[in-house]
């Protein structure tokens, strides 16, 4: 399928260049590409800097937030290097975004509404009620949220938190809840916890079923192993680095179910707008009539957002996203004097807010409609990504730039949502995997030395995308070829240095780091206790099901009655044809065994934290019938590898 025309000018230059004098130096092509950005965008527009600075009250005197054990949760001073012009190793547009994102401290939005920004990737909002604070989106970790609350109590008013609002189901908007409230206060009715319909199910499920793979890919998306600096991590484009503390969760006590629903919370009237299926499967905005303030959750940002995060997720709906923003404009724009959100700085004034909402909405609508138009004209996802850019009136707005989501991978997400992974070409129906494809490409091109020579020529010509594809085949053909790996790492660095997207930069630079240094064996992904406690038993059994090794399970047929004594639940677990099936409330008298235990002991067994024979010997686990059947089932559960290879076979 032929690409017809080119609708933008953001593709890399192919001017001759080397890869720089050192492993991290910017090549001449990278210097030229980044310098060109300064002429392409309106860097003299300082409105965002004015908005980001407005209302500043104070920040922490000690810029390091620590856990109880002394571990650094968030270092607010880690981005101090951003003071000054962009170096050659950074796209100036991303550098500008990082400067804005890393301004930290307590800010007033309007009278009685305040935000603490820069403590985490997300923002925590405090609304003054009649008797205490209403907290909106308490960050990712308890330590970061507690530090923000401490700042509020020190500089505003030492009042209790009387309500928490979760705007949506992503962990960076609920994980810090125990830093601002206690479970006992919620259970006693002293604190209301309000969330959109479907919140708990989606908050838990995204972190359970595919949590291991998403966590591994998130190390690339957020550059979690990179050093912050001009040659390393420059934020994700959405916010500063994710705080590394304790992720917690307290279940909602109240659920918002429809647009237009109103709640009075500690004397403050809130009107809600439901937006499920846009940025999150469970999400809502709200309007405060008394303060003429619109809170837009994560549906309106100072960047184009993701329709499909690089870490992985269900594909989001660009059309619905645009339609929700249209509804926001229709319902609230002519009543709004200030707006804020769960990321980024607020905006003030009806004209600037209305202009922002309309132009931001139009970007998502254009992205959706033009992708579908080209799809219906026969172009595939990758072809659409290559030729579709926003028109200049939209693209020149910094809040529509691809700092987090990009036109490139968002257009492919729209294609995937409608058409799936297959592009219609028979050659794409059953292609060879990289481990098989690499050796064949290398052989067809005349061997490793020939491929390496061509890749060097491409790299020296700054044809980095082609060089990366050539070298990737060579690395997958021979992962011990250090020359190929080093050159591919150098190419990835240049692609990272040129990237306007924070996550693309992180992905390229993390790939380079793993090629040269190997996979860092850091802390493994673990599901937080609060999230496990909130997970229903059927969801846990779903997680058990997807960890059954199908090959090892061949020939096994068994049935086990599960009796969770403390939860008073029974489940029938059946394994046949290498598929595990579970049914709630069912007991089979003919089952191989009945397993009686507390839910915590069952979690220990399925997560590999305890041994069956030890728990049986202690009396905490009772097996009636064939204990070997239970042992056989547990032996078929694959352990999780949180450090699997990505850039090498």
């Amino acid at each position: 399928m032929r690409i017809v025309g080119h609708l933008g000018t953001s593709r890399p230059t192919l001017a001759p260049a080397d890869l720089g004098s050192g492993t991290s130096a910017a090549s001449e092509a990278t210097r030229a590409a980044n310098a060109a950005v300064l002429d392409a965008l309106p860097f003299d527009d300082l409105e965002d800097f004015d908005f980001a600075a407005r209302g500043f009250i104070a920040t922490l005197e000690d810029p390091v937030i620590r856990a109880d054990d002394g571990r650094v949760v968030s270092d607010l001073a880690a981005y101090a290097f951003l003071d000054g012009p962009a170096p050659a190793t950074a796209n100036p547009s991303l550098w500008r975004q990082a400067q804005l994102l890393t301004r930290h401290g307590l800010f007033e939005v309007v009278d009685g509404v305040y935000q603490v920004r820069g403590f985490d990737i997300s923002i925590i909002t405090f609304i003054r009620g009649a008797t205490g604070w209403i907290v909106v989106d308490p960050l990712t970790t308890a330590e970061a949220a507690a530090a923000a609350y401490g700042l509020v109590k020190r500089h505003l008013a030492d009042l209790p938190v009387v309500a928490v609002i979760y705007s949506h189901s992503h962990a960076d908007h609920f994980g810090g809840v125990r830093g601002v409230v206690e479970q006992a206060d919620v259970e006693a009715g002293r604190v209301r916890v309000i969330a959109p319909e479907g919140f708990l199910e989606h908050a838990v499920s995204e972190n359970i079923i595919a949590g291991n793979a998403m966590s591994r890919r998130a190390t690339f998306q957020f550059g979690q192993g990179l050093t912050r600096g001009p040659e390393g991590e420059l934020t994700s484009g959405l916010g500063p680095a994710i705080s590394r503390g304790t992720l917690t969760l307290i279940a909602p006590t109240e659920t918002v179910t429809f647009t237009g629903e109103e709640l009075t919370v500690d004397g403050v009237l809130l009107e809600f707008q439901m937006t499920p299926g846009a940025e999150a499967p469970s999400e809502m905005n709200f309007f405060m009539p008394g303060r003429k303030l619109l809170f837009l959750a994560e549906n309106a940002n100072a960047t184009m957002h993701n329709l499909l995060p690089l870490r992985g997720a269900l594909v989001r709906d660009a059309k619905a996203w645009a339609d929700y923003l249209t509804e926001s404009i229709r319902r609230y724009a002519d009543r709004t004097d200030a707006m804020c959100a769960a990321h980024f700085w607020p905006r003030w004034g009806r004209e600037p807010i209305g202009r922002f909402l309309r132009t931001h909405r139009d970007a998502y609508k254009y992205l959706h409609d033009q992708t579908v138009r080209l799809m219906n004209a026969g172009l595939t996802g990758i072809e659409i990504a290559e030729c579709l850019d926003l028109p200049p009136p939209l693209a020149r707005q910094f809040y529509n730039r691809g700092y987090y989501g990009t036109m490139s991978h968002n257009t492919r997400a729209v294609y995937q949502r409608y058409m799936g992974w297959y592009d219609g070409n028979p050659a794409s129906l059953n292609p060879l995997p990289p481990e098989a494809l690499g050796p064949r490409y290398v052989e067809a091109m005349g061997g490793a030395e020939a491929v390496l020579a061509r890749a060097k020529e491409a790299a020296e010509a700054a044809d980095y995308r082609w060089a990366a594809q050539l070298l990737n085949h060579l690395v997958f053909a021979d992962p011990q070829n250090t020359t190929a790996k080093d050159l591919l790492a150098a190419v990835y660095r240049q692609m990272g240095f040129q990237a306007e997207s924070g996550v693309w930069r992180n992905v390229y630079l993390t790939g380079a780091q793993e090629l040269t240094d190997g996979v860092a064996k850091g802390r493994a992904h673990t599901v937080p206790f609060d999230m496990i406690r909130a997970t229903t038993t059927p969801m846990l059994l779903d997680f058990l099901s997807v960890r059954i090794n199908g090959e090892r399970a061949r020939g096994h047929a068994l049935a086990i009655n599960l009796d969770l004594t403390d939860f008073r639940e029974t489940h029938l677990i059946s394994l046949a044809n290498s598929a595990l099936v579970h049914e709630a409330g069912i007991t089979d008298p003919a089952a191989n065994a009945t397993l009686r235990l507390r839910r915590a002991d069952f979690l220990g067994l399925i997560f590999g934290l305890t041994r069956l024979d030890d728990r049986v010997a202690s009396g905490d686990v009772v097996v009636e019938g064939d204990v070997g059947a239970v042992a056989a089932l547990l032996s078929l559960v694959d352990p999780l590898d949180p450090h699997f290879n990505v850039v090498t076979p």
Side-chain angles (χ1 to χ4, degrees):
M1 298 176 183
R2 185 172 58 89
I3 296 179
V4 286
H6 180 254
L7 306 183
T9 58
S10 62
R11 304 297 177 241
T13 176
L14 297 184
D18 57 44
L19 295 182
S21 57
T23 58
S24 296
S27 69
E28 288 303 317
T30 293
R31 292 173 183 273
N34 286 340
V37 173
L38 292 172
D39 296 326
L41 294 173
F43 283 88
D44 56 348
D45 181 354
L46 300 179
E47 181 181 65
D48 285 336
F49 286 89
D50 293 337
F51 284 157
R54 181 169 171 174
F56 176 75
I57 296 171
T59 191
L60 296 180
E61 294 180 4
D62 179 359
V64 180
I65 302 171
R66 298 183 184 274
D68 290 340
D69 61 5
R71 182 167 39 87
V72 174
V73 170
S74 185
D75 183 357
L76 309 185
Y79 294 101
F81 65 87
L82 289 163
D83 185 18
T89 54
N91 184 297
S93 182
L94 176 60
W95 186 268
R96 172 192 179 279
Q97 181 82 340
Q99 288 178 321
L100 290 162
L101 288 174
T102 54
R103 294 192 172 197
H104 54 83
L106 173 63
F107 297 79
E108 182 183 50
V109 182
V110 296
D111 183 35
V113 180
Y114 307 87
Q115 290 189 316
V116 177
R117 305 201 290 271
F119 282 30
D120 204 337
I121 190 172
S122 53
I123 290 170
I124 184 170
T125 301
F126 292 85
I127 302 171
R128 179 72 179 264
T131 65
W133 292 109
I134 303 164
V135 173
V136 184
D137 288 354
L139 305 182
T140 312
T141 64
E143 294 86 350
Y149 185 27
L151 198 61
V152 166
K153 290 190 290 185
R154 188 156 57 252
H155 293 279
L156 296 176
D158 188 356
L159 298 173
V161 172
V162 295
V164 173
I165 298 174
Y166 302 139
S167 70
H168 61 293
S169 53
H170 292 154
D172 54 323
H173 302 272
F174 64 77
V177 63
R178 290 189 189 275
V180 296
V181 297
E182 298 289 342
Q183 180 81 41
D185 289 329
V186 175
E187 293 175 353
R190 290 186 291 271
V191 178
R192 301 166 67 177
V193 182
I194 302 164
E197 185 175 29
F199 168 85
L200 195 59
E201 174 190 353
H202 292 296
V204 171
S205 63
E206 186 169 283
N207 292 277
I208 297 290
I209 295 294
N212 190 65
M214 284 189 182
S215 178
R216 175 70 175 107
R217 286 170 51 151
T219 63
F220 281 74
Q221 177 171 327
F222 296 107
Q224 292 171 343
L226 299 176
T227 301
R228 288 170 203 157
E231 298 171 0
E233 186 248 313
L234 295 181
T235 80
S236 62
L238 185 72
I242 300 171
S243 62
R244 299 192 177 191
T246 308
L247 194 151
T248 63
L249 174 62
I250 294 177
T253 61
E254 301 175 46
T255 299
V256 177
T257 60
F258 63 91
T259 293
E261 184 171 354
E262 295 183 347
L263 292 177
T264 299
V265 183
D266 197 33
V268 178
L269 177 63
L270 303 173
E271 178 186 332
F272 293 91
Q273 179 196 7
M274 303 299 292
T275 63
E279 191 275 332
S282 172
E283 190 157 5
M284 62 185 183
N285 303 326
F286 64 79
F287 180 69
M288 299 174 62
R291 289 167 173 138
K292 298 181 180 179
L293 174 71
L294 178 61
F295 180 87
L296 285 169
E298 207 165 333
N299 293 306
N301 303 278
T303 176
M304 175 174 284
H305 211 293
N306 281 311
L307 296 181
L308 180 56
L310 301 186
R311 64 174 170 84
L314 298 178
V315 179
R316 299 161 185 174
D317 189 341
K319 181 183 181 301
W321 201 321
D323 289 346
Y324 288 135
L325 288 176
T326 297
E327 184 180 51
S328 298
I329 294 166
R330 186 63 58 198
R331 293 181 71 94
Y332 308 119
D334 62 356
R335 296 190 282 157
T336 297
D337 290 338
M339 65 148 285
C340 59
H343 294 272
F344 304 103
W345 46 94
R347 297 179 186 276
W348 289 269
R350 293 191 183 181
E351 192 282 326
I353 291 170
R355 170 168 37 89
F356 162 73
L357 289 175
R358 290 188 297 273
T359 310
H360 202 49
R361 182 270 318 275
D362 290 349
Y364 288 108
K365 193 67 166 64
Y366 182 92
L367 162 66
H368 171 271
D369 292 355
Q370 296 307 306
T371 298
V372 174
R373 178 182 69 83
L374 294 173
M375 177 184 78
N376 283 328
L379 273 68
T380 65
I382 195 169
E383 290 171 333
I384 296 168
E386 189 67 14
C387 72
L388 186 61
D389 287 305
L390 290 176
L394 298 179
R396 284 180 61 81
Q397 303 299 325
F398 284 108
Y399 49 73
N400 286 336
R401 304 298 299 176
Y403 300 117
Y404 192 55
T406 70
M407 282 292 288
S408 178
H409 71 254
N410 278 346
T411 54
R412 281 177 277 186
V414 173
Y415 185 92
Q416 178 178 322
R417 182 176 179 87
Y418 286 104
M419 305 300 290
W421 58 268
Y422 177 48
D423 65 6
N425 188 326
S428 304
L429 185 59
N430 190 28
L432 291 167
E435 289 85 347
L437 192 63
R440 286 168 169 80
Y441 262 106
V442 171
E443 181 183 9
M445 294 181 67
E449 291 302 319
V451 174
L452 192 60
R454 292 192 178 205
K456 286 180 178 178
E457 291 175 0
E460 289 170 357
D463 193 355
Y464 296 135
R465 293 166 71 191
W466 175 231
Q469 289 184 316
L470 287 172
L471 291 165
N472 186 63
H473 285 311
L474 185 50
V475 168
F476 271 78
D478 180 11
Q480 305 307 316
N481 190 325
T482 56
T483 302
K485 289 164 68 175
D486 288 345
L487 182 56
L488 180 54
V491 167
Y492 280 161
R493 288 189 193 97
Q494 299 306 316
M495 297 172 82
F497 293 162
Q498 291 189 29
E500 184 179 36
S501 165
V503 294
W504 281 41
R505 178 185 176 95
N506 290 339
V507 165
Y508 286 131
L509 296 186
T510 301
Q513 181 172 280
E514 292 198 357
L515 283 166
T516 57
D517 301 338
V519 180
K521 307 296 183 181
R523 285 198 306 165
H525 169 72
T526 57
V527 181
F529 175 76
D530 273 354
M531 201 162 289
I532 293 173
R533 180 165 53 186
T535 304
T536 64
T537 302
M539 292 175 70
L540 287 172
L541 292 172
D542 285 340
F543 180 61
L544 179 65
S545 300
V546 300
R547 292 177 58 200
I548 295 293
N549 186 303
E551 293 182 359
R552 293 207 313 270
R554 291 177 185 175
H556 287 271
L558 53 87
I560 296 171
N561 293 318
L562 175 64
D563 181 4
L564 299 178
T565 55
D566 54 341
F567 274 55
R568 297 180 180 178
E569 291 181 5
T570 57
H571 301 264
L572 176 62
I573 302 174
S574 306
L575 179 69
N577 301 314
S578 297
L580 189 147
V581 176
H582 57 89
E583 301 169 86
I586 302 295
T587 299
D588 182 359
N592 300 83
T594 295
L595 181 63
R596 301 189 194 280
L597 71 175
R598 295 171 303 171
R599 193 171 188 258
D601 289 313
F602 181 63
L603 291 172
L605 293 177
I606 67 173
F607 281 97
L609 303 176
T610 59
R611 291 166 49 88
L612 176 63
D613 51 0
D614 293 339
R615 305 309 292 163
V616 170
S618 71
D620 292 320
V621 173
V622 175
V623 178
E624 299 172 2
D626 183 8
V627 68
V630 180
L633 175 64
L634 295 175
S635 73
L636 300 175
V637 179
D638 263 351
L640 296 174
D641 177 9
H643 306 300
F644 56 79
N645 288 345
V646 174
V647 294
T648 57

